[in-house]
């Protein structure tokens, strides 16, 4: 007799982003002809850079000839791409070896799957608010415990509040935890951790034999040279941190799909000596994953070339100009806006203490603008809205003007 994984029934709500899409669609159905301006889901909108397109075409052309055709590739990724990714870390002064790089079909699968190499009784700490995948995957794996509807928390998870008072970056946990999820630049708050802040977590993790899962999906949006783009810029981080990154927001691969995970040889935990975690992730990927698309990896290589990086940066600058338009427009009507400086997300305080989901409805109905309610990212997201800077400039400008003109609270 088959039985289900009952942990799915412990999930407090549906996955956040389909819920936003569902509500936006329902509004459109009820109000045909109304143009919705979407600043909700962080989804790239601008065309791929010419060099990247050439790389993808090259990948396809190679498949058209017997001499260059390839079938299954290495589960860990094309050796040339692993090398190119490792070389990116060298530019940051971080020492990452090719065999510590695991290419994948995106950061989300990796950030969801990485917990599977750790034991079910690990205590998990998450930034609150956080990208929902960290919490949901650990709940599904049985690490969440019971959901307390009143507090909006799972009782076995340790929530690290990110608030206005701490600049949206938390203190290290007071108790002993085993796995720590950190995202910088942060989704949803747009805050970026300093080296000193990360160093405190590295120190904590090494002392407690904990492992940090560092999600750096937006690292290319950091323009301030003082801010770290990788946790490996912090001495000692290779002993305690796994870093995950993506081509989605740096090269527009949200639909193309390509990412990577670094599991350093030096990374250890309670019962894993050096090399063990790297070997386990390798085993996990070889068993569950058949390698990223060969065409896409060719595109990824092109994105990491000098010309590719230059062109991708222009698109990043475009989205960051959008962020500036949103920040200035919202600030002009008295809204309190955080983030959007070294990150493509803005974290907007709801006026008059209005609840996030209520403000979501207000923005939708009054201004026809779709955002993401902060409460959807965790209890400390309540009272905030996340606004995404991904979009065509005209839509962004129209959305900002609509909020300025139509918002009445
Ligand atoms: C909607 C911190 C977006 N369906 O594209 P990937 O898999 O390489 O990266 C996903 C990802 C990983 N880490 C962080 C992210 O913010 C994201 C993408 N998040 C958002 O609006 O928060 C897209 C969400 C998508 C999803 O569920 O990820």
């Amino acid at each position: 007799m088959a039985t289900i994984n009952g942990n799915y029934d412990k999930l407090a709500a549906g996955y956040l982003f389909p819920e936003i899409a569902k509500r936006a669609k329902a509004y459109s159905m009820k109000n045909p002809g109304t143009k919705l301006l979407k600043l909700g889901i962080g989804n790239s909108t601008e065309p791929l850079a010419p060099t990247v397109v050439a790389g993808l075409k090259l990948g396809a052309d190679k498949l058209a000839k017997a001499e260059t055709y390839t079938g299954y590739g290495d589960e860990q990724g094309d050796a040339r791409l692993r090398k190119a990714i490792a070389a990116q870390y060298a530019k940051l002064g971080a020492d990452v070896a090719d065999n510590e790089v695991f290419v994948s079909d995106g950061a989300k699968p990796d950030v969801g799957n990485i917990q599977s190499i750790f034991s079910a009784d690990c205590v998990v700490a998450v930034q609150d608010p956080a990208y929902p995948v960290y919490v949901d995957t650990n709940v599904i794996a049985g690490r969440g415990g019971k959901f307390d509807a009143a507090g909006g928390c799972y009782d076995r998870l340790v929530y690290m509040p990110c608030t206005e008072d701490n600049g949206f970056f938390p203190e290290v946990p007071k108790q002993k935890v085993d796995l720590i999820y950190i995202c910088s630049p942060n989704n949803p708050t747009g805050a970026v951790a300093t080296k000193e802040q990360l160093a405190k977590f590295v120190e904590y993790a090494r002392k407690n034999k904990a492992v940090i899962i560092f999600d750096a999906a937006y690292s290319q949006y950091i323009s301030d040279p003082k801010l770290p783009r990788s946790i490996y810029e912090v001495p000692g981080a290779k002993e305690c941190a796994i870093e995950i990154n993506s081509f989605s927001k740096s090269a527009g691969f949200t639909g193309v799909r390509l990412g990577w995970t670094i599991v350093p040889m030096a990374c250890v935990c309670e019962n894993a000596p050096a090399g063990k975690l790297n070997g386990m992730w390798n085993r996990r990927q070889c068993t569950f994953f058949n390698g990223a698309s060969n065409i896409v990896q060719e595109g990824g290589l092109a994105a990491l070339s000098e010309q590719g990086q230059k062109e991708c940066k222009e698109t990043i600058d475009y989205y960051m100009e959008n962020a500036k338009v949103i920040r200035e427009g919202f600030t002009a009507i008295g809204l309190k806006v955080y983030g959007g400086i070294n990150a493509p997300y803005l974290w907007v305080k709801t006026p008059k203490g209005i609840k996030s989901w209520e403000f979501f409805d207000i923005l939708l109905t009054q201004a026809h603008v779709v955002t993401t309610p902060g409460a959807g990212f965790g209890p400390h997201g309540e009272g905030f809205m996340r606004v995404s800077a991904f979009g065509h400039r005209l839509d962004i400008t129209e959305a900002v003007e609509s909020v300025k003109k139509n918002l009445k609270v």
Side-chain angles (χ1 to χ4, degrees):
M1 185 177 70
T3 54
I4 59 161
N5 174 356
N7 293 322
Y8 276 81
D9 290 334
K10 294 184 181 163
L11 290 165
Y15 187 61
L16 177 62
F17 299 108
E19 181 62 31
I20 301 295
K22 194 177 95 189
R23 290 187 188 214
K25 194 170 167 199
Y27 184 81
S28 287
M29 303 270 275
K30 264 200 202 153
N31 300 275
T34 304
K35 180 182 174 192
L36 284 189
L37 299 154
K38 296 185 179 164
L39 310 184
I41 297 170
N43 202 358
S44 52
T45 55
E46 300 313 297
L48 296 179
T51 297
V52 175
V53 175
L56 292 167
K57 283 184 179 161
L58 173 67
D61 286 345
K62 281 185 171 180
L63 298 184
K65 295 187 206 106
E67 311 83 72
T68 47
Y69 175 85
T70 49
Y72 293 124
D74 294 342
E75 286 86 352
Q76 303 81 1
D78 183 317
R80 295 169 304 149
L81 183 57
R82 297 178 87 189
K83 196 182 178 62
I85 291 170
Q88 294 296 314
Y89 285 93
K91 286 187 198 159
L92 301 174
D95 169 33
V96 169
D98 301 8
N99 65 353
E100 296 174 322
V101 179
F102 294 86
V103 176
S104 72
D105 58 352
K108 179 177 176 178
D110 287 1
V111 103
N113 292 325
I114 195 72
Q115 49 74 29
S116 70
I117 65 169
F118 296 98
S119 77
D121 55 9
C122 279
V123 175
V124 174
V126 285
Q127 282 176 291
D128 175 26
Y131 180 47
V133 176
Y134 314 148
V135 168
D136 288 4
T137 53
N138 278 292
V139 169
I140 290 168
R143 298 189 189 91
K146 277 200 221 86
F147 185 70
D148 161 30
C153 295
Y154 291 93
D155 67 1
R156 276 205 71 227
L157 298 183
V158 172
Y159 291 78
M160 302 185 290
C162 298
T163 63
E164 282 178 293
D165 289 344
N166 63 19
F168 302 104
F169 192 80
E171 297 302 319
V172 295
K174 292 198 173 37
Q175 65 275 63
K176 191 175 174 334
V177 302
D178 307 311
L179 292 178
I180 304 165
Y181 287 77
I182 299 177
C183 176
S184 177
N186 190 265
N187 175 13
T189 65
V192 184
T194 62
K195 258 187 210 165
E196 293 69 31
Q197 286 171 324
L198 292 183
K200 285 187 187 162
F201 273 85
V202 167
E203 189 192 343
Y204 171 95
R206 290 173 75 190
K207 201 164 123 200
N208 291 283
K209 294 189 182 161
V211 174
I212 297 169
I213 312 295
F214 189 73
D215 187 340
Y218 302 96
S219 60
Q220 296 292 318
Y221 285 77
I222 297 176
S223 54
D224 183 340
K226 291 193 293 300
L227 294 170
R229 290 180 177 208
S230 164
I231 194 164
Y232 303 128
E233 291 179 53
V234 174
K238 283 190 80 182
E239 287 162 36
C240 63
I242 290 173
E243 181 164 304
I244 296 169
N245 209 321
S246 169
F247 285 83
S248 282
K249 309 295 162 52
S250 59
F253 277 28
T254 44
V256 180
R257 310 303 306 146
L258 195 66
W260 72 88
T261 287
I262 307 294
V263 187
M265 288 294 175
C267 189
V268 292
C269 66
E270 182 69 36
N271 56 354
K276 176 85 177 169
L277 291 171
N278 177 289
M280 285 177 75
W281 183 244
N282 186 43
R283 185 71 171 83
R284 193 266 164 216
Q285 291 298 80
C286 288
T287 308
F288 287 84
F289 182 59
N290 242 342
S293 148
N294 41 15
I295 298 175
V296 170
Q297 291 191 79
E298 206 67 59
L301 260 173
L304 295 183
S305 69
E306 206 179 318
Q307 181 61 19
Q309 288 284 280
K310 194 168 151 267
E311 292 169 19
C312 289
K313 169 87 170 53
E314 284 168 19
T315 309
I316 290 170
D317 290 346
Y318 177 91
Y319 291 131
M320 289 312 295
E321 183 60 29
N322 285 349
K324 188 168 173 244
V325 170
I326 299 168
R327 199 175 55 250
E328 289 177 357
F330 283 16
T331 306
I333 54 165
L335 291 169
K336 182 106 183 144
V337 182
Y338 296 96
I341 309 270
N342 289 287
Y345 295 119
L346 297 101
W347 193 233
V348 180
K349 196 168 181 175
T350 62
K352 301 179 180 167
I354 300 172
K355 298 273 186 200
S356 306
W357 280 104
E358 195 189 329
F359 198 54
F360 170 86
D361 285 333
I362 291 173
L363 287 169
L364 183 63
T365 53
Q366 293 185 0
H368 305 147
V369 171
V370 182
T371 53
T372 308
F377 296 97
H380 281 90
E382 184 55 272
F384 288 88
M385 305 302 292
R386 191 195 75 174
V387 181
S388 161
F390 294 102
H392 301 309
R393 180 70 42 76
L394 276 179
D395 292 338
I396 298 283
T397 314
E398 203 178 331
V400 170
E401 287 311 311
S402 178
V403 171
K404 281 168 83 172
K405 189 167 146 218
N406 300 311
L407 180 65
K408 306 269 179 292
V409 284

